[in-house]
Amino acid sequence: METVILAVVIAVVVLGALGGLIIGSRRKKSLPPPPPAAPDITAPPAEPHVGDEAETPRDEPRRTIEEVDLPDGSAPVVVEEPPAPEIEIPEPTAGRLVRLRARLSRSQNALGKGLLTLLSREHLDDDTWEEIEDTLLTADVGVQPTTELVERLRERVKVLGTRTPVELRALLREELLKLVGTEADRVVKTEPADRKPGIVMVVGVNGTGKTTTTGKLARVLVADGRTVVLGAADTFRAAAADQLQTWGERVGAYTVRGPEGGDPASVAFDAVKEGKEMGVDVVLIDTAGRLHTKTGLMDELGKVKRVVEKHAPLDEVLLVLDATTGQNGLVQARVFAEVVDITGIVLTKLDGTAKGGIVIAVQRELGVPVKLIGLGEGADDLAPFEPEAFVDALIGE
C-alpha cells in the first residue's frame, strides 16, 4: 500500500513539472522582445585616437596629448596647438611713392593734362582763363589757391610770350609746387630725443580708413626697423579692435585693447604704459570716429588726449581724411582741428575718384602738411608724401 501511494505522489509531481514547462514556453512566445538598454550618459567620452602622422589632415593643426596625473584617473587632456601667426616683412618705405607714381598718375593727371591743354591754346582770352579756373575748382584746389595760381600763371605766360610744351610744363610744375609746398616738415615724428616711446594718435571719422591707416602705419614703422605697440581705443565699433590686432599680428606688433564699449581713454593710457614697460619705439593709438553714447565725440577725443599726456606729450596727431569726399572732408578737418591740435594729415583713397587738388586745399585750410597718402587697398600702399613726385604725377611726364 505504501508503494502505491509513493508511486501516485511521484506521478503528480512529474505531471506538475511538465505542465509548468509547457506554460512557460507559451509565455515566452507571446512576450515582445525587451527594449534596448539606454546609453549611460555618465560614461566618460571615448579616448581620442592618435594615429600615425599620415592620418593627420595637413590643413588642420597638430593635436598633442598631455598626460596629467589627476587623482581621479581622468583621461589624458587633449591640447590644441594653434599655429603661430606668420610674421610678414613689410616693403621698405624709401621711395615708396616713386614706385607707386604710375598708379597715381593714371587717376590724377587729368588735372595736369587739362591745364596744359588750356595753356597751349594760341590765344588765352578771358574765357580760357575762366576755363582754367573751373578746372582747378573742379579738382578741389579751393577758391583762394585757385585765384592765386591763375593770377601767377597769367602774369608769367604774358611775360613768357612763346609757350612751347616744355616751357608750359615747367611753368605749371613750378607753380603747383609752390601751392603744394616743399618747405614743410613732412616727417611723421616718432623719435622724441628725450624719451621713449614716441606717441602718435590717429583721429578721423569712421569710414575714412582710420583703423586701416593705423595698421598700415605700423607696417611703415616696422619696415624702418622700429618696434610698435598698438592701442585699440576705438572701443565703440565691434570690429575695430579685432581689425587692428590682425594688422599688428602680421608684423609682430603688440595690441592693447579693452572691453567693447569701454573707456577709450583708459585703453589709450594702458597702451602708453605697456609701451614704456616694453621699451618699444612707438605707440600708435587708434581712436573712435563715432560714439554711441551721450558723450560727444570731440569731448571723448579731448579726454583721450589729456589722459595720454599724463604719461608724455603727444608727438603726432594725424587726421585721416577720405580724399574722395573733397570739400566735405574739409568740414571734418575743421572740427577735429579745433579739439586735438592736428599736426599732420593722411589722405586715403587718393588712387580712386579723388581730385589731386584736395592736397592743396586741406593744407591751406588747416595750416598743417599732408604727411602720408594712401594709394590703394594693398598692405604697403601707404606712402610718405613727396611733393615733387606728387606734382609730377599730376601733370604727367
Side-chain angles (χ1 to χ4, degrees), residues 22-41:
I22 293 172
I23 292 171
S25 175
R26 289 178 178 175
R27 284 181 177 176
K28 286 182 179 179
K29 291 180 180 178
S30 62
L31 290 175
D40 184 4
I41 61 174

Side-chain angles (χ1 to χ4, degrees), residues 294-315:
K294 294 180 181 180
T295 305
L297 172 59
M298 297 306 154
D299 292 339
E300 192 65 54
L301 288 178
K303 178 184 175 183
V304 171
K305 180 177 183 290
R306 291 192 301 273
V307 168
V308 168
E309 288 182 334
K310 290 181 179 180
H311 281 298
L314 283 167
D315 298 288

Side-chain angles (χ1 to χ4, degrees), residues 248-273:
E249 288 174 349
R250 290 169 66 179
V251 293
Y254 180 67
T255 302
V256 175
R257 54 189 298 178
E260 183 179 343
D263 181 17
S266 176
V267 175
F269 183 88
D270 290 342
V272 178
K273 180 181 177 183

Side-chain angles (χ1 to χ4, degrees), residues 310-340:
K310 290 181 179 180
H311 281 298
L314 283 167
D315 298 288
E316 287 278 5
V317 179
L318 298 177
L319 173 63
V320 179
L321 292 176
D322 181 343
T324 63
T325 60
Q327 296 296 313
N328 290 333
L330 297 183
V331 177
Q332 300 172 10
R334 293 188 200 107
V335 176
F336 279 94
E338 291 172 358
V339 178
V340 285

Side-chain angles (χ1 to χ4, degrees), residues 10-332:
I10 292 172
V12 171
V13 172
V14 171
L15 289 174
L18 291 173
L21 289 172
I22 293 172
I23 292 171
S25 175
R26 289 178 178 175
R27 284 181 177 176
K28 286 182 179 179
K29 291 180 180 178
S30 62
L31 290 175
D40 184 4
I41 61 174
T42 63
E47 184 173 322
H49 172 71
V50 180
D52 296 332
E53 190 168 306
E55 296 178 4
T56 303
R58 294 183 180 179
D59 56 348
E60 295 182 2
R62 285 297 305 266
R63 305 178 67 188
T64 60
I65 294 182
E66 278 187 14
E67 295 287 349
V68 182
D69 295 329
L70 298 176
D72 57 356
S74 300
V77 179
V78 179
V79 181
E80 295 282 354
E81 290 186 353
E86 183 178 350
I87 304 298
E88 299 179 7
I89 301 176
E91 180 183 359
T93 58
R96 186 179 289 189
L97 180 57
V98 176
R99 292 192 297 275
L100 297 173
R101 186 187 299 177
R103 180 186 304 169
L104 181 64
S105 63
R106 284 196 298 270
S107 60
Q108 298 298 320
N109 63 11
L111 168 61
K113 286 184 177 179
L115 291 176
L116 286 172
T117 299
L118 291 170
L119 290 171
S120 299
R121 288 182 180 177
E122 185 175 353
H123 299 289
L124 295 179
D125 53 19
D126 290 340
D127 291 338
T128 302
W129 287 111
E130 286 184 9
E131 288 185 56
I132 292 173
E133 285 186 359
D134 291 341
T135 301
L136 291 167
L137 292 172
T138 303
D140 289 328
V141 172
V143 176
Q144 186 62 32
T146 292
T147 302
E148 293 176 11
L149 179 58
V150 169
E151 287 179 356
R152 289 204 299 264
L153 286 174
R154 291 187 75 157
E155 181 179 349
R156 295 195 62 181
V157 166
K158 183 177 180 181
V159 172
L160 185 63
T162 305
R163 303 184 306 276
T164 66
V166 174
E167 290 173 329
L168 284 176
R169 186 184 182 283
L171 172 62
L172 187 57
R173 183 181 189 276
E174 182 180 341
E175 293 299 333
L176 286 173
L177 274 175
K178 287 180 182 178
L179 282 182
V180 173
T182 57
E183 303 299 326
D185 182 3
R186 301 183 187 274
V187 176
V188 178
K189 293 179 175 57
T190 57
E191 299 182 78
D194 57 341
R195 58 181 166 80
K196 255 189 176 184
I199 306 171
V200 179
M201 188 165 80
V202 183
V203 302
V205 175
N206 288 345
T208 59
K210 176 174 51 61
T211 300
T212 299
T213 295
T214 307
K216 289 183 178 182
L217 179 54
R219 292 180 66 88
V220 170
L221 294 169
V222 170
D224 289 340
R226 319 295 299 287
T227 53
V228 179
V229 162
L230 297 170
D234 185 355
T235 60
F236 296 92
R237 192 161 53 95
D242 291 338
Q243 182 183 359
L244 191 63
Q245 184 167 351
T246 299
W247 277 103
E249 288 174 349
R250 290 169 66 179
V251 293
Y254 180 67
T255 302
V256 175
R257 54 189 298 178
E260 183 179 343
D263 181 17
S266 176
V267 175
F269 183 88
D270 290 342
V272 178
K273 180 181 177 183
E274 289 282 344
K276 292 176 71 174
E277 292 176 354
M278 295 171 64
V280 300
D281 298 311
V282 187
V283 174
L284 299 178
I285 302 171
D286 178 34
T287 60
R290 184 185 308 117
L291 299 186
H292 305 295
T293 67
K294 294 180 181 180
T295 305
L297 172 59
M298 297 306 154
D299 292 339
E300 192 65 54
L301 288 178
K303 178 184 175 183
V304 171
K305 180 177 183 290
R306 291 192 301 273
V307 168
V308 168
E309 288 182 334
K310 290 181 179 180
H311 281 298
L314 283 167
D315 298 288
E316 287 278 5
V317 179
L318 298 177
L319 173 63
V320 179
L321 292 176
D322 181 343
T324 63
T325 60
Q327 296 296 313
N328 290 333
L330 297 183
V331 177
Q332 300 172 10

Side-chain angles (χ1 to χ4, degrees), residues 4-14:
V4 173
I5 292 173
L6 181 61
V8 171
V9 172
I10 292 172
V12 171
V13 172
V14 171

